[in-house]
Amino acid sequence: MSHETWLVIATIIGIALLLFLIMKIKLHAFVSLLIASLFIGVASGMSPMDIIDVIETGMGGTLGFIAVVVGLGAMFGEVLKVSGGAERLALTLIDKFGEKRSQWALGFTGFLVSIPVFLDVALVILIPIIYSLAGKTRKSLLYYGIPLLAGLAVAHSFVPPTPGPMTVAAMLGVDLGWVILFGIAAGIPAMILAGPVFGKYIGNKIQLEIPDYQKLDEDVSAIKEEKDLPSFTLVFTLILIPLVLILVNTVTGAIVGEDSTSLVAETIQFVGHPFVALIITVVLTFITLGTRRGYSRDEVQEVATKALEPAGIIILITGAGGVFKEVLIQSGVGDVMGNMVVGAGLPLVVAAFVITTFVRVAQGSATVAMVTGAGLMAPIIDISPVTQPELGLIAISIASGATVLSHVNDSGFWLVNRFFGMTTGETLKSWTVMETIIGLTGFAVVFVISLFM
């Protein structure tokens, strides 16, 4: 057996070990990724101390970017949640669109809210609005719920600064602006097809009433009085600020070049860097949605600190993903896999989608699927001539693969199942199909775009 063949076998066994630890042993993804990385390193013939050095390098190299961005993004989202910004977006859009087009309003609400706010938190905040609309119109909860869920799921997977696409961007070394651009380009049609279009269909097929246990569920927030909510313009502007600054930086770099020394270009590069863009946004959020709305500085600090608790778990999983990627590169596995993909003539966008889809279906977690998919693709990309825009397309292809076919091994599946009071079969017919439409549509969009690059 050749050394190259053994490296491929070792990698396959390492991935199988990762899935076994997460699915059967129920070991945390952070620890499972580290164990799988250690196994691949040892099996590939790396020395023990080299493996330790790779763990340190992989963890530090990834977290140097991710820890800052995810931490700031979590603070932004938490203040938006506490201040009622999410409810304001939903109520204003529903009012502007009108009741007949409320599905579209809910889809766009989910899309906007899930950019700064984690999907599960956003669902808890907005589910009372779904209950209210369904109660007034006597329509199925799914008629309104699927569009909202589609918007939440699309932004959660496709549009930074949400942790998933942010992680993929960091691991692939792609400019965040391209991920945002292609994430929006793929996400809007995905949200439309999976949200208002599919929601209308499935809402007429499955009639769901508000679950009795949800009517008294203390975990479901009540809708705040409109007079107590911040203005729509303010909330919408705060969400747009980091996206616009990062995109302007990317466009400027593409026009004048990354190495431009002009004062204007350097200023744009500085302000448009994700660190600075998010710091600006967070500070403005603390002031406009915090202290100026009656919160004391101590209360704002408490909210910001609370936001870092769930962010810490994501940061650690991301760091372990960086270790996994670095082991694949340093062990030589990446070169072998890259040559196999190039030799097979398989487009990188397609390879990224297929690999990530396999991991997603096998173990359930979209975050782990993204981290693993990016880890496997990073060394392949290293030996291929890939431009920044192409890397952006590959990042969204990975995000698409990590979205499809959510089923019983995904925590999101059971979250939706509980809030909507569905049977397992009903959840498969609604949530699982919706997620698959999102993933397939996102992949189709980036694949078509890739044909012209």
Side-chain angles (χ1 to χ4, degrees):
M1 181 187 301
S2 67
H3 181 63
E4 289 77 11
T5 303
W6 169 245
L7 286 177
V8 174
I9 293 174
T11 302
I12 294 173
I13 296 173
I15 295 171
L17 174 63
L18 170 65
L19 299 178
F20 175 77
L21 292 173
I22 293 175
M23 296 166 57
K24 297 297 183 182
I25 307 299
K26 304 299 182 183
L27 198 60
H28 196 281
F30 170 64
V31 181
S32 299
L33 280 163
L34 291 177
I35 292 175
S37 301
L38 285 171
F39 173 83
I40 294 174
V42 171
S44 64
M46 296 176 66
S47 71
M49 293 312 299
D50 284 343
I51 295 173
I52 298 300
D53 288 341
V54 167
I55 291 176
E56 185 176 344
T57 301
M59 181 72 72
T62 303
L63 294 190
F65 177 81
I66 286 295
V68 176
V69 174
V70 171
L72 289 169
M75 290 181 180
F76 174 32
E78 188 69 16
V79 175
L80 190 71
K81 164 197 164 186
V82 171
S83 68
E87 290 100 320
R88 166 55 69 200
L89 285 173
L91 294 173
T92 300
L93 287 174
I94 290 171
D95 180 61
K96 296 298 182 184
F97 275 76
E99 188 174 298
K100 290 184 178 180
R101 293 184 293 275
S102 56
Q103 286 184 303
W104 292 83
L106 288 165
F108 284 108
T109 295
F111 189 89
L112 290 171
V113 170
S114 200
I115 292 174
V117 181
F118 294 143
L119 185 149
D120 53 348
V121 176
L123 179 59
V124 171
I125 296 170
L126 297 174
I127 197 70
I129 296 174
I130 301 301
Y131 293 160
S132 176
L133 287 170
K136 288 178 182 177
T137 63
R138 300 299 177 187
K139 292 183 181 292
S140 171
L141 281 178
L142 293 174
Y143 184 85
Y144 299 107
I146 288 295
L148 175 66
L149 289 170
L152 293 173
V154 165
H156 178 74
S157 295
F158 288 8
V159 186
T162 53
M166 189 74 71
T167 298
V168 174
M171 293 178 69
L172 299 184
V174 55
D175 188 309
L176 212 56
W178 292 112
V179 181
I180 294 173
L181 182 63
F182 293 131
I184 293 174
I188 295 297
M191 183 275 291
I192 291 172
L193 289 177
V197 175
F198 177 65
K200 184 176 182 180
Y201 168 79
I202 198 65
N204 291 327
K205 290 289 184 181
I206 301 175
Q207 179 64 34
L208 293 180
E209 305 295 335
I210 302 173
D212 290 336
Y213 59 81
Q214 289 292 6
K215 295 174 183 177
L216 300 175
D217 195 330
E218 295 179 359
D219 291 336
V220 180
S221 309
I223 304 174
K224 297 180 182 180
E225 294 292 332
E226 282 210 57
K227 60 180 172 38
D228 296 329
L229 301 177
S231 73
F232 174 84
T233 302
L234 173 60
V235 175
F236 186 67
T237 301
L238 288 172
I239 292 174
L240 282 185
I241 285 173
L243 302 181
V244 171
L245 289 176
I246 293 169
L247 280 172
V248 169
N249 177 31
T250 300
V251 172
T252 302
I255 294 173
V256 304
E258 298 289 343
D259 299 325
S260 175
T261 57
S262 74
L263 180 60
V264 174
E266 287 184 342
T267 301
I268 292 175
Q269 287 175 356
F270 177 74
V271 176
H273 190 282
F275 289 0
V276 180
L278 281 168
I279 288 172
I280 292 171
T281 305
V282 168
V283 171
L284 288 175
T285 303
F286 285 171
I287 296 171
T288 57
L289 297 182
T291 54
R292 286 193 177 178
R293 289 184 55 79
Y295 292 95
S296 68
R297 292 177 182 177
D298 287 340
E299 287 173 331
V300 172
Q301 185 181 38
E302 183 179 345
V303 170
T305 301
K306 182 182 177 182
L308 296 178
E309 294 174 7
I313 297 173
I314 294 170
I315 289 169
L316 285 176
I317 293 175
T318 301
V323 172
F324 183 72
K325 177 198 77 171
E326 196 66 22
V327 167
L328 292 177
I329 293 174
Q330 297 301 327
S331 66
V333 171
D335 291 340
V336 176
M337 293 176 58
N339 290 328
M340 289 175 62
V341 171
V342 172
L346 192 65
L348 295 181
V349 170
V350 177
F353 179 76
V354 172
I355 290 171
T356 311
T357 297
F358 169 77
V359 179
R360 160 68 157 172
V361 174
Q363 57 77 47
S365 168
T367 301
V368 174
M370 285 192 197
V371 168
T372 308
L376 291 168
M377 287 304 298
I380 297 174
I381 289 168
D382 280 351
I383 67 169
S384 307
V386 184
T387 64
Q388 280 291 316
E390 289 171 330
L391 281 176
L393 293 174
I394 292 170
I396 300 304
S397 184
I398 290 172
S400 299
T403 304
V404 299
L405 296 171
S406 166
H407 60 98
V408 294
N409 61 1
D410 179 15
S411 60
F413 179 95
W414 296 111
L415 180 75
V416 172
N417 173 279
R418 175 176 180 272
F419 276 119
F420 286 80
M422 291 187 284
T423 64
T424 301
E426 289 170 337
T427 314
L428 287 167
K429 292 175 183 177
S430 55
W431 165 260
T432 301
V433 174
M434 182 208 78
E435 286 274 89
T436 304
I437 292 172
I438 290 172
L440 291 177
T441 304
F443 169 68
V445 171
V446 295
F447 178 72
V448 170
I449 294 175
S450 72
L451 298 177
F452 297 93
M453 289 191 173

